[in-house]
Amino acid sequence: MVNYKKILVTGGLGQIGSELSLELQKRYGIENVVITDIKNEIPEVLGQNSIYLKLDVLDYEKLTEIIKKYEIDAIFHLAAIFSGRGEEDPFNCWNVNMNGNINIFKAAIEYKVKRVFIPSSMAVWGIGIPKENVSQDSVLRPTSMYGVTKVAGERLCEYMFHKYNLDCRGLRYPGIISSEALPGGGTTDYAVEIFYEAIKHKKYTSYIDKGTKLPMMYMPDCIKATIMLMETDVEKLTCHGDYNIAAFSFTPEEIADEIKKLIPDFEIDYKPDFRQKIAESWPASIDDSVARRDWGWSPDYDITTMTKDMIEKLSKKLK
Ligand code: NAD
């Protein structure tokens, strides 16, 4: 295992950041994980002894103060504006995602941070991709501003590696399904909302249309992939900011059928909104053979085991 002394997480109160921070605390010690976000309140799940600091990633001075003070040697940079919210204000999405990335790169180079993780997304794909098994090297022509910032982020990771020897890594996350923090305005949020509504009201109106198949992953696998990649020796990597990873894919009616096995009177109907267009530009399945070959990636959950676990966890939480 790589021995990081102090880890910085940005966007640490988000859907992925909050669960990743918990796992990093378990692995590296609660006193060695500095959780930051633009939000004020730290959720109970992270525990009172967590180190939490308010940080806007656009504030370079405060970012570097934290890196210096805590002698940070690894950064998980998760602060970003998501696809759905990004389309409501594309220029703000560019500003936060790109200037946030640039601040992280500059600070990491200046203070000799050992490793940096910047997630990418399946939103990097768009025009001209095959629908099934989209490969590591497929054409990147995104249709959302969020996707544009993710392509630029990937290319910058690679550039910083070659130009400054900065060890920067990233994964193209599919839609992430989780039972703790709610997702922050992405196109695949429906795949989390459907569970809450199924348990609370036995009914869900999907803003993604029938027949739209998208790649998804359960949070424990997302966390596992992130930590595995960050603990792999750099010599093994053939990609820097942009590893494809996959677990399973489904349409809204397929996930509804899985839920019905456990909540038989659950019903779904459809009212597509602007996110349908974004979803249609994305692949239905992803070829992750390069990640499997380079660092031994494989997921633990499929659609059935994920659905069972989500319903068990959420039923307890919502009681
Ligand atoms: P999220 O929206 O739940 O969390 C992002 C966090 O960043 C939020 O807590 C928000 O308060 C914070 N933030 C926003 N602007 C900030 C700023 N200026 N300074 C500091 N913090 C700020 O997102 P998430 O799902 O946790 O995603 C984390 C990363 O993973 C993002 O880069 C996202 O693009 C990527 N990703 C997520 C998914 C998914 O399905 N969750 C899929 C693909 C990629």
Side-chain angles (χ1 to χ4, degrees), residues 121-131 134 138-144 147 151 277-283:
S121 158
M122 64 176 163
V124 293
W125 292 302
I127 299 158
I129 46 141
K131 267 286 165 200
V134 64
S138 293
V139 60
L140 304 177
R141 289 179 68 194
T143 57
S144 64
V151 173
K277 213 168 140 216
I278 302 178
E280 279 169 12
S281 73
W282 290 352

Side-chain angles (χ1 to χ4, degrees), residues 11 13-17 37-39 55-58 77-82 96 119-122 146 150 173-176 182-184 188:
L13 302 189
Q15 186 199 7
I16 298 174
D37 200 288
I38 203 166
K39 294 175 189 159
L55 169 70
D56 180 343
V57 288
L58 300 179
H77 174 46
L78 302 183
I81 303 293
F82 238 139
V96 174
S120 186
S121 158
M122 64 176 163
Y146 172 72
K150 289 296 180 190
Y173 290 141
I176 305 297
L182 285 166
T188 53

Side-chain angles (χ1 to χ4, degrees), residues 25-39:
Q25 288 178 335
K26 278 191 211 143
R27 270 178 108 73
Y28 294 97
I30 196 164
E31 68 287 2
N32 294 323
V33 183
V34 180
I35 304 163
T36 66
D37 200 288
I38 203 166
K39 294 175 189 159

Side-chain angles (χ1 to χ4, degrees), residues 118-122 124-126 129-141 150-151 154-155 157-158 168-174 229 236-246 283 285-295 297:
I118 301 192
S120 186
S121 158
M122 64 176 163
V124 293
W125 292 302
I129 46 141
K131 267 286 165 200
E132 298 291 345
N133 285 323
V134 64
S135 72
Q136 186 66 52
D137 293 324
S138 293
V139 60
L140 304 177
R141 289 179 68 194
K150 289 296 180 190
V151 173
E154 291 184 353
R155 300 285 59 85
C157 271
E158 196 166 39
C168 183
R169 294 143 186 238
L171 297 167
R172 288 174 177 154
Y173 290 141
L229 177 68
K236 292 196 178 150
L237 305 184
T238 57
C239 301
H240 294 282
D242 56 357
Y243 272 106
N244 282 7
I245 50 164
S285 63
I286 295 170
D287 169 6
D288 61 0
S289 52
V290 179
R292 286 172 186 260
R293 180 199 67 198
D294 286 3
W295 44 280
W297 159 246

Side-chain angles (χ1 to χ4, degrees), residues 25-223:
Q25 288 178 335
K26 278 191 211 143
R27 270 178 108 73
Y28 294 97
I30 196 164
E31 68 287 2
N32 294 323
V33 183
V34 180
I35 304 163
T36 66
D37 200 288
I38 203 166
K39 294 175 189 159
N40 285 317
E41 299 271 315
I42 180 159
E44 266 173 38
V45 63
L46 283 172
Q48 283 198 335
N49 295 329
S50 297
I51 305 173
Y52 178 70
L53 303 167
K54 188 171 174 181
L55 169 70
D56 180 343
V57 288
L58 300 179
D59 184 345
Y60 186 73
E61 213 174 297
K62 182 135 189 227
L63 169 67
T64 51
E65 250 172 47
I66 293 171
I67 292 177
K68 264 191 289 185
K69 179 173 173 200
Y70 290 93
E71 299 181 14
I72 297 294
D73 58 358
I75 302 177
F76 291 77
H77 174 46
L78 302 183
I81 303 293
F82 238 139
S83 55
R85 269 187 63 209
E87 285 315 282
E88 285 163 15
D89 188 349
F91 295 102
N92 182 49
C93 177
W94 174 268
N95 183 33
V96 174
N97 295 5
M98 294 319 303
N99 292 323
N101 282 354
I102 288 290
N103 281 349
I104 294 289
F105 290 130
K106 262 174 70 184
I109 293 163
E110 195 176 339
Y111 294 96
K112 300 192 172 27
V113 173
K114 225 188 269 172
R115 247 168 226 179
V116 175
F117 177 79
I118 301 192
S120 186
S121 158
M122 64 176 163
V124 293
W125 292 302
I127 299 158
I129 46 141
K131 267 286 165 200
E132 298 291 345
N133 285 323
V134 64
S135 72
Q136 186 66 52
D137 293 324
S138 293
V139 60
L140 304 177
R141 289 179 68 194
T143 57
S144 64
M145 178 59 97
Y146 172 72
V148 170
T149 68
K150 289 296 180 190
V151 173
E154 291 184 353
R155 300 285 59 85
L156 280 169
C157 271
E158 196 166 39
Y159 173 81
M160 298 295 163
F161 178 75
H162 292 297
K163 172 96 179 166
Y164 295 102
N165 211 14
L166 175 68
D167 187 348
C168 183
R169 294 143 186 238
L171 297 167
R172 288 174 177 154
Y173 290 141
I176 305 297
I177 300 168
S178 69
S179 56
E180 295 302 325
L182 285 166
T187 302
T188 53
D189 291 8
Y190 95 87
V192 177
E193 289 169 11
I194 195 170
F195 284 98
Y196 280 81
E197 294 307 306
I199 292 164
K200 287 198 281 194
H201 304 116
K202 297 190 169 29
K203 207 169 172 283
Y204 180 64
T205 300
S206 172
Y207 60 79
I208 296 296
D209 208 359
K210 213 175 173 172
T212 312
K213 185 166 119 184
L214 290 171
M216 301 281 181
M217 178 176 286
Y218 195 30
M219 185 63 88
D221 280 328
C222 166
I223 305 295

